[in-house]
Amino acid sequence: MACPSDAAELIASRIPLGRLSTVTTVKLPKFVFSDEADRARFPNIYGVVLQREAVLQVEIESDDDDDDEEASGFVEKGWLLQLAEGEDGALHWQDFVPSCKCCKRKLGPVLDQEGLQKCPVCKGQKGHGKCFQFACPAGSPLAFSCGKMLAKSRPVYCGSHPYFAGYLPADQCSGSFGPPLFQKTRRRLEEAVDFIATARKSLGSSGVVVDLFPTSNSSELPVLNSNLRSIRILVSERQQSLISSRTLPESYDQNVTSAIAAADASRELPPGNFIFRQRSDGNTGTTSIAKCRAADDASVPSWDGEADIDNEGEPSFSEQVVELKELSCFVGLAPRSLWTMDLSAMKPDMSAASLADKLCWRKVMDLPLPHALPSSTTLGGFPQRLLARGHGKGQVVIFSVEGSIVRPWLLVEICDKPVGQSVRTTKLTSTTHVCLTSPDLADADVPSRMLPSVIRIWGRRSGYLFFDQLGQAHLLRDESIILQEEAWMGPELTDEDAMRRVVTFNVQTGAGNSTRRFCLMGMLVRFEYFARLFKGWQEGASAEVSVTDVDVAAFDHFMHYVHCGKIDCGLNLWMLVRLMGLGNKYILSDFLARCLVLTARILDDPKQMEKQEITVLAELLAFADDAAVTCPTLKTKIMDSILCFRGDALKDPQFLSRIAAKNPDVLAALISPVAPKGELENIRLAPEREKRGQKRKKLEQDAWLKNACPPPWSRREASVPVNEVSA
């Protein structure tokens, strides 16, 4: 999608007629879902969508005798959706639609009354029209069966209807069309209530369990309704009942500020065996541990014991808790400090009480707040700091709110012996940012606030996902993140000599001709390359520089960046290749990052890739090989994009000869995923449409497994090896 060059990329459209309340993610083994191609590499991200509906009478339990049992109010309905990737690589929210076991095609909804028999799961006990059934399509999207799926074996939403009525996004069927997955009643419109979600693998079945804990998004309006309870949702595409929900019977599940499930870092502990929840009364919090039952999570919606961790002075983390599986620890971000919890003492047979005695939060570093914002939250209750996993082992990234935008601020590397005893920090920034509210809807009467959750993703779109209440997903790519010291800065206006001298650039145009471009020396000496050039070489005395390796148009774009720190977001791939060559030559990380972001957007767009000339792709791949140090992820992303969207390039003699002449190893790495036996001529590079998505994901997965490289900012030596960083 088109977006300004300094704004994070919008990669998923909004959810129609609904408000996204919370998101969560979980890493699952391949056997959990039947359609492995859709989940070959992209993380399993789930979102809770709410719809508010006004009613004349609503029944709410109340201890106040002055309140009526029935009064006007509203009902908040909820559904669970998943973020999926389509055949064209675009992301979208969709229902849990299974595939036919015979023909592997997506199932469709059963719409005719004659074919809609009683629910094969509850046998109609939940009422007529309460359950939603799927059947295999044959010939058209409106066909109800291919003849190979019996009515008694149809997958169903037992007791609820899908949000999109079981259709795929391409069918453009939006909104709710039946009973929701769950619903909550409210008496007052001002009761601003959301959910905090945590996802884990089911202990009793092959599926996913999502636990929802109610929380107030305003400290001035706490949750008052006694009917608000935590909800457990079980999703399993391998069972006949696709999704179900139950209310958890806990009595203190209100005002939860953070929730996370423990993973199996040692592979001895079942995933999600323990759930950690933090309740807060303001600035301090209390962490409780609940042990999950090893039975079916939907039919037995309760804990197998729970206990509080005795941790004096524990701060409130406000959803800013992540798990580092490689270190077997949690990392929590408080408004002014960073904390860790060592989980190495966890054992499968431990009770919640015995585990609580062995765990505690430990502060590892202080985080000073900017003087302009002394409070821990920004306007609207949004946290001033956000926490996410880093790219490397033991790394976390802290994002900072600067006015109305969010940028990465600090990379923290945590040591593992013992966990949190020492940390190393590196200050970060980025060439793109995320807006707290949607710019086009800032003044509209619709929910557009950013959610306080950041999800780390790997692979072709490696970076960080941010979500707003509209359901839009914003991607801050790894390529946009740089060291804070490498960011573009304005010239030093107090250097009179540098600001008075004019540098002449003689740009060669061919046949011995050249074109002149002029720039103040003070605009150039900010950059290390030109500072050394004018200090110790003849260019400093003559104030003239000869440019022979780039054309005039590209050099003009470079001069535009030198003066204002921005580049045109509409540049084509050919021009970006030349600009990246300049950025690599002049050692300009900020300039190179801006070009890489625009290049990555083109590589991810199938329509734009189809328009690219073969020679441009060859030049880009050759540059990526030469610039492997400054652009370590570019080569893999180019090969991935060529394999997925431009397979015809592997049959083009000109493309193959240019790559082979440059570096035969690059050509071997490019063709190895599609020709493992060296028989390239027998590989079908343009499969039929229904198999294209599966083939593309398989090629993409192979490319990243063999050629994954960390971004430059995550592999640098930490600049501050202490437990405190200055503002």
Side-chain angles (χ1 to χ4, degrees):
M1 301 181 182
C3 62
S5 60
D6 58 348
E9 188 176 354
L10 181 63
I11 63 173
S13 301
R14 67 186 65 174
I15 301 174
L17 308 178
R19 175 176 67 89
L20 185 63
S21 173
T22 183
V23 293
T24 185
T25 182
V26 62
K27 185 177 180 180
L28 299 170
K30 295 182 179 180
F31 61 81
V32 171
F33 293 97
S34 57
D35 192 358
E36 295 181 5
D38 285 346
R39 297 161 183 86
R41 180 197 45 79
F42 199 79
N44 296 276
I45 298 177
Y46 306 94
V48 176
V49 181
L50 302 179
Q51 275 189 358
R52 183 172 295 175
E53 179 179 325
V55 292
L56 295 178
Q57 290 186 341
V58 56
E59 296 183 2
I60 300 179
E61 297 180 4
S62 176
D63 297 331
D64 191 349
D65 296 336
D66 296 334
D67 290 339
D68 296 329
E69 292 297 324
E70 293 186 358
S72 60
F74 62 95
V75 176
E76 198 139 36
K77 302 178 179 180
W79 291 264
L80 185 70
L81 302 179
Q82 65 176 341
L83 191 65
E85 188 175 10
E87 293 182 357
D88 58 353
L91 301 182
H92 57 267
W93 293 100
Q94 70 175 26
D95 297 314
F96 299 92
V97 182
S99 301
C100 178
K101 296 181 180 179
C102 298
C103 63
K104 308 302 181 182
R105 296 177 62 186
K106 288 289 184 181
L107 300 181
V110 177
L111 301 178
D112 64 330
Q113 295 299 321
E114 295 181 358
L116 188 61
Q117 303 180 12
K118 289 184 178 180
C119 174
V121 176
C122 68
K123 310 301 181 185
Q125 295 181 4
K126 294 187 177 180
H128 179 71
K130 292 288 186 179
C131 303
F132 190 93
Q133 302 181 32
F134 289 89
C136 185
S140 71
L142 297 180
F144 309 123
S145 177
C146 66
K148 296 182 180 181
M149 177 176 288
L150 301 178
K152 64 180 182 180
S153 60
R154 288 173 178 169
V156 295
Y157 269 56
C158 188
S160 66
H161 282 211
Y163 187 80
F164 295 104
Y167 288 96
L168 296 177
D171 299 318
Q172 298 183 351
C173 188
S174 61
S176 60
F177 297 89
L181 185 61
F182 64 89
Q183 65 181 34
K184 297 294 179 180
T185 56
R186 304 281 189 276
R187 179 169 295 183
R188 299 185 311 174
L189 187 63
E190 293 84 5
E191 291 176 351
V193 177
D194 274 311
F195 290 95
I196 291 177
T198 178
R200 56 190 171 86
K201 180 186 178 297
S202 170
L203 300 180
S205 60
S206 297
V208 178
V209 177
V210 179
D211 289 325
L212 306 180
F213 303 98
T215 183
S216 174
N217 58 22
S218 174
S219 58
E220 300 177 356
L221 295 171
V223 181
L224 300 178
N225 286 336
S226 60
N227 72 325
L228 288 174
R229 291 291 180 264
S230 299
I231 300 170
R232 175 163 296 167
I233 302 173
L234 175 63
V235 182
S236 179
E237 295 189 22
R238 301 190 70 180
Q239 294 186 352
Q240 192 168 11
S241 179
L242 296 174
I243 188 169
S244 58
S245 67
R246 296 289 183 90
T247 301
L248 294 175
E250 277 71 10
S251 59
Y252 69 91
D253 49 13
Q254 299 178 7
N255 295 330
V256 175
T257 58
S258 299
I260 189 170
D264 55 340
S266 64
R267 299 192 178 274
E268 296 179 358
L269 188 70
N273 193 46
F274 292 98
I275 302 293
F276 291 74
R277 296 174 295 177
Q278 187 186 66
R279 293 164 289 145
S280 176
D281 57 1
N283 295 326
T284 61
T286 300
T287 300
S288 63
I289 303 175
K291 185 174 182 178
C292 303
R293 294 183 182 271
D296 185 84
D297 300 87
S299 62
V300 187
S302 60
W303 309 116
D304 191 10
E306 54 187 320
D308 290 346
I309 297 178
D310 186 10
N311 206 146
E312 184 178 355
E314 175 185 333
S316 176
F317 297 126
S318 301
E319 300 186 55
Q320 306 309 310
V321 179
V322 299
E323 181 184 17
L324 299 181
K325 298 179 182 178
E326 63 275 12
L327 301 186
S328 187
C329 73
F330 288 151
V331 181
L333 178 64
R336 299 177 182 272
S337 54
L338 191 71
W339 299 63
T340 60
M341 177 184 286
D342 190 352
L343 304 176
S344 58
M346 282 197 309
K347 302 296 180 183
D349 56 349
M350 296 180 67
S351 64
S354 61
L355 180 59
D357 293 337
K358 296 181 178 295
L359 300 181
C360 67
W361 286 103
R362 174 181 178 180
K363 185 170 74 169
V364 297
M365 67 178 299
D366 292 315
L367 298 173
L369 295 173
H371 300 293
L373 291 173
S375 63
S376 61
T377 58
T378 63
L379 296 177
F382 194 83
Q384 190 173 328
R385 308 281 192 226
L386 300 176
L387 183 68
R389 290 191 58 185
H391 184 281
K393 177 182 178 181
Q395 293 182 348
V396 294
V397 175
I398 301 176
F399 293 82
S400 176
V401 177
E402 304 172 2
S404 61
I405 63 176
V406 181
R407 293 182 189 271
W409 172 61
L410 200 66
L411 172 67
V412 182
E413 300 176 65
I414 302 174
C415 71
D416 59 347
K417 294 180 181 180
V419 172
Q421 184 177 20
S422 65
V423 297
R424 298 190 300 177
T425 60
T426 303
K427 288 189 176 182
L428 302 175
T429 187
S430 62
T431 60
T432 61
H433 62 262
V434 180
C435 297
L436 288 183
T437 57
S438 299
D440 54 337
L441 298 172
D443 299 329
D445 188 19
V446 294
S448 58
R449 181 174 59 88
M450 193 68 60
L451 299 182
S453 301
V454 186
I455 295 179
R456 169 76 195 178
I457 60 174
W458 281 267
R460 180 161 51 91
R461 290 191 180 93
S462 59
Y464 295 90
L465 282 181
F466 296 76
F467 298 87
D468 58 31
Q469 292 179 316
L470 298 173
Q472 298 177 134
H474 307 262
L475 174 62
L476 188 76
R477 294 182 181 269
D478 280 340
E479 288 81 3
S480 70
I481 302 177
I482 58 175
L483 301 183
Q484 194 174 102
E485 62 199 43
E486 297 173 341
W488 183 92
M489 297 181 63
E492 182 59 53
L493 301 179
T494 59
D495 190 347
E496 181 180 358
D497 181 62
M499 295 304 296
R500 295 180 64 177
R501 296 190 65 188
V502 177
V503 177
T504 303
F505 288 92
N506 297 310
V507 185
Q508 301 297 321
T509 59
N513 299 323
S514 63
T515 299
R516 288 186 171 187
R517 292 294 184 265
F518 305 96
C519 181
L520 292 176
M521 185 175 292
M523 302 296 295
L524 298 168
V525 294
R526 298 168 294 159
F527 309 113
E528 180 181 3
Y529 177 91
F530 291 104
R532 294 185 178 184
L533 181 68
F534 296 134
K535 183 178 181 180
W537 299 86
Q538 64 177 3
E539 284 83 357
S542 63
E544 289 192 10
V545 180
S546 178
V547 180
T548 60
D549 52 355
V550 71
D551 55 33
V552 176
F555 194 79
D556 286 343
H557 284 293
F558 173 70
M559 284 287 100
H560 177 74
Y561 166 80
V562 169
H563 286 82
C564 68
K566 297 181 182 296
I567 61 175
D568 185 2
C569 62
L571 298 177
N572 57 39
L573 193 58
W574 183 263
M575 181 60 67
L576 289 172
V577 173
R578 272 143 178 68
L579 293 181
M580 285 189 292
L582 282 177
N584 186 55
K585 172 185 176 181
Y586 296 145
I587 322 175
L588 301 176
S589 298
D590 182 278
F591 179 70
L592 199 56
R594 295 176 186 274
C595 296
L596 285 172
V597 169
L598 297 179
T599 301
R601 293 175 183 176
I602 295 176
L603 295 176
D604 284 349
D605 192 333
K607 294 182 179 179
Q608 292 200 50
M609 281 298 295
E610 292 177 357
K611 302 176 182 178
Q612 303 302 323
E613 297 181 2
I614 293 295
T615 55
V616 178
L617 298 178
E619 288 290 333
L620 181 59
L621 188 54
F623 165 78
D625 183 54
D626 292 336
V629 175
T630 55
C631 310
T633 63
L634 181 59
K635 183 165 63 174
T636 303
K637 294 193 174 187
I638 297 171
M639 293 191 295
D640 170 36
S641 183
I642 292 174
L643 291 172
C644 296
F645 308 126
R646 289 299 303 270
D648 60 299
L650 301 187
K651 292 184 176 181
D652 187 278
Q654 184 180 7
F655 175 84
L656 296 176
S657 61
R658 297 188 68 163
I659 300 301
K662 184 67 177 179
N663 190 343
D665 292 337
V666 175
L667 181 60
L670 176 63
I671 65 175
S672 59
V674 295
K677 297 181 181 181
E679 298 177 357
L680 181 60
E681 64 276 6
N682 296 328
I683 298 297
R684 300 181 62 187
L685 298 175
E688 55 270 30
R689 180 176 178 81
E690 59 268 19
K691 295 183 179 179
R692 186 174 301 165
Q694 182 176 358
K695 183 178 180 63
R696 181 182 63 80
K697 294 177 186 295
K698 179 61 170 63
L699 295 175
E700 179 181 355
Q701 182 184 25
D702 291 342
W704 283 103
L705 287 176
K706 297 178 181 179
N707 303 286
C709 295
W713 55 267
S714 71
R715 62 181 184 177
R716 298 287 183 89
E717 283 292 332
S719 56
V720 186
V722 295
N723 280 35
E724 183 173 351
V725 59
S726 58

